[in-house]
Amino acid sequence: RMQILRKKNWWASEFKTAAKYNHLLKRLHLENNRRVVLTTPMCSNTHCFKTLPSYEDRILDNTLYLNSTVDPFDWKKSDIERIIQEIERFQPINIDADPIYLVIFLNFLKEYGLDFNFSSIEFITLCYEFCPRNCLDYIKDFFQCQVLYIYGATETGHLYSRIDNGLYTLFPYDLAISFKCINSKNNLYEIFITSFKNEYMPLINYQIGDVVKIYHHDVDKTDGKESEVRLSRICGRTSAITYDSLSQVITLDDLDEIVAFFDKNIFLYQILFDENRVVFKYVTLNGQALSEKLKLSFENALNDLYKEKLSFIFEHLPALSPSGSGKFQLVQSGRLYEI
């Protein structure tokens, strides 16, 4: 993977530029309000730590970084208490979070019987990783405020944003975007970015490695009017693509739709494919396993999706481990079928 060279604290200017195109970001980065970040341990050229530094040392400009634990399931009651105390002390208007980390945190609040009303929070920002539908619904129900989803990449900064259930629109500055069709029937495309933001590494075309679903009215704009293209879904990594028995593309988003349909309590899962066998590991909000009836319905839905008879192993677990980077890999391995 290519090493990226950037100016120190380059995200600060990226935030301020993006804020000109989004009224919620404007509240943060042009009006000097505060936010807290809850995601994988933050590590960059301005902050780098493996153990928890002081409250003061974790504040950068208008941002407080809350977490330094690689696995959020390792949070103890004292960690959750510290986080809510620091949110109360810092008084942010925004929580900027990896959606899975945020749901784990909220579920620990309930498990430990801790009451906190997040009175200062005006909106939630979700980014850093694919957002499962059940996580999004749980976060919306809990906070009852606007949810801003930001899609971007380390190499290119902010690319698209969506508020609540709207469409993803492009941050139209210092980049050129192109699309490669993966499945025209379902409007699935891989995304490529040429960025002019980084003066040390300009004019590089990045294969981001993500699959998106283009809004059906904008498909005809993918050849010549790419900056006007709106997205209806972010569908996961290309590395998470699997294939049915007819070699048609199935994305992480397709699998997530089925998971959300059958049980709203499954907020984290890992699907492993081994030829015709599917191992489905999952964690639930209520701690309850799927009923035998729901397991059978889930099996039938995946059999229909993959157009063949698969065998299944279900593992209900109290936790799943993230990768070394702290991110959760929802599809562990691909199938044998290829286009």
Side-chain angles (χ1 to χ4, degrees):
R1 181 165 180 164
M2 181 188 299
Q3 296 296 307
I4 305 297
L5 300 176
R6 285 194 178 276
K7 279 186 174 181
K8 184 178 180 180
N9 200 19
W10 68 276
W11 271 108
S13 61
E14 173 71 6
F15 285 139
K16 289 180 179 179
T17 305
K20 297 175 183 178
Y21 301 94
N22 184 286
H23 72 276
L24 293 178
L25 290 180
K26 180 181 178 181
R27 292 277 290 124
L28 280 177
H29 302 295
L30 298 183
E31 298 176 10
N32 296 319
N33 286 296
R34 294 177 169 185
R35 68 173 185 147
V36 292
V37 172
L38 185 65
T39 182
T40 59
M42 194 272 185
C43 189
S44 70
N45 57 9
T46 42
H47 274 58
C48 189
F49 50 82
K50 290 187 176 179
T51 58
L52 186 69
S54 70
Y55 169 85
E56 290 77 13
D57 287 339
R58 286 180 282 113
I59 297 174
L60 177 63
D61 297 328
N62 68 334
T63 302
L64 169 64
Y65 296 91
L66 295 168
N67 179 46
S68 66
T69 303
V70 172
D71 188 344
F73 284 107
D74 288 338
W75 285 331
K76 301 177 179 63
K77 184 178 182 180
S78 59
D79 295 311
I80 304 302
E81 290 173 330
R82 173 189 59 80
I83 290 173
I84 61 177
Q85 289 165 5
E86 290 181 351
I87 293 174
E88 177 66 24
R89 179 180 176 184
F90 198 64
Q91 287 292 295
I93 69 166
N94 169 250
I95 297 177
D96 184 5
D98 178 309
I100 294 174
Y101 275 64
L102 184 53
V103 171
I104 293 171
F105 167 71
L106 296 177
N107 211 35
F108 271 133
L109 276 181
K110 183 174 65 175
E111 179 180 329
Y112 293 133
L114 300 173
D115 187 23
F116 188 63
N117 62 13
F118 299 92
S119 58
S120 69
I121 302 302
E122 297 181 11
F123 69 99
I124 305 296
T125 304
L126 300 179
C127 44
Y128 306 104
E129 202 52 66
F130 177 85
C131 182
R133 287 168 174 80
N134 285 347
C135 285
L136 180 59
D137 289 344
Y138 187 76
I139 290 167
K140 285 182 176 180
D141 288 345
F142 185 93
F143 287 100
Q144 296 292 307
C145 66
Q146 285 189 301
V147 176
L148 169 66
Y149 193 94
I150 293 179
Y151 167 68
T154 302
E155 298 86 351
T156 60
H158 292 336
L159 297 175
Y160 285 88
S161 67
R162 183 188 78 180
I163 297 176
D164 294 332
N165 296 321
L167 297 171
Y168 290 87
T169 56
L170 186 69
F171 287 104
Y173 60 92
D174 297 336
L175 58 83
I177 192 164
S178 60
F179 301 95
K180 177 184 176 183
C181 185
I182 294 177
N183 185 317
S184 59
K185 180 180 178 181
N186 295 322
N187 300 333
L188 296 178
Y189 288 75
E190 185 176 359
I191 194 168
F192 295 80
I193 301 292
T194 300
S195 175
F196 317 117
K197 299 177 183 180
N198 184 355
E199 62 189 72
Y200 296 151
M201 300 178 69
L203 304 176
I204 295 177
N205 184 249
Y206 293 99
Q207 184 176 10
I208 301 300
D210 288 325
V211 181
V212 299
K213 178 175 285 190
I214 290 179
Y215 180 50
H216 62 277
H217 287 306
D218 290 353
V219 171
D220 59 351
K221 297 178 181 178
T222 56
D223 187 13
K225 296 182 179 180
E226 291 87 352
S227 64
E228 299 178 15
V229 169
R230 293 163 294 177
L231 312 179
S232 56
R233 299 288 304 175
I234 306 296
C235 299
R237 304 288 292 170
T238 53
S239 58
I241 286 176
T242 54
Y243 303 90
D244 67 17
S245 61
L246 302 178
S247 295
Q248 295 300 303
V249 167
I250 294 172
T251 67
L252 169 57
D253 191 59
D254 296 321
L255 297 171
D256 186 71
E257 184 175 19
I258 291 176
V259 172
F261 178 80
F262 283 104
D263 195 325
K264 293 295 184 183
N265 281 298
I266 299 175
F267 73 94
L268 179 59
Y269 54 86
Q270 189 176 81
I271 305 176
L272 298 89
F273 293 96
D274 181 12
E275 296 189 359
N276 290 343
R277 187 181 69 168
V278 178
V279 180
F280 184 68
K281 301 179 180 181
Y282 64 101
V283 185
T284 54
L285 291 166
N286 61 4
Q288 300 298 311
L290 290 171
S291 67
E292 293 304 316
K293 181 178 180 180
L294 274 179
K295 287 180 183 179
L296 180 59
S297 297
F298 185 79
E299 290 180 15
N300 290 336
L302 280 189
N303 286 336
D304 290 342
L305 183 66
Y306 283 98
K307 300 179 177 64
E308 66 172 302
K309 180 69 172 177
L310 302 168
S311 62
F312 291 84
I313 297 175
F314 291 87
E315 297 183 20
H316 178 235
L317 301 169
L320 284 169
S321 297
S323 64
S325 68
K327 293 185 177 182
F328 289 94
Q329 189 175 358
L330 303 185
V331 175
Q332 178 104 351
S333 57
R335 291 169 56 75
L336 299 179
Y337 304 109
E338 294 182 357
I339 293 179

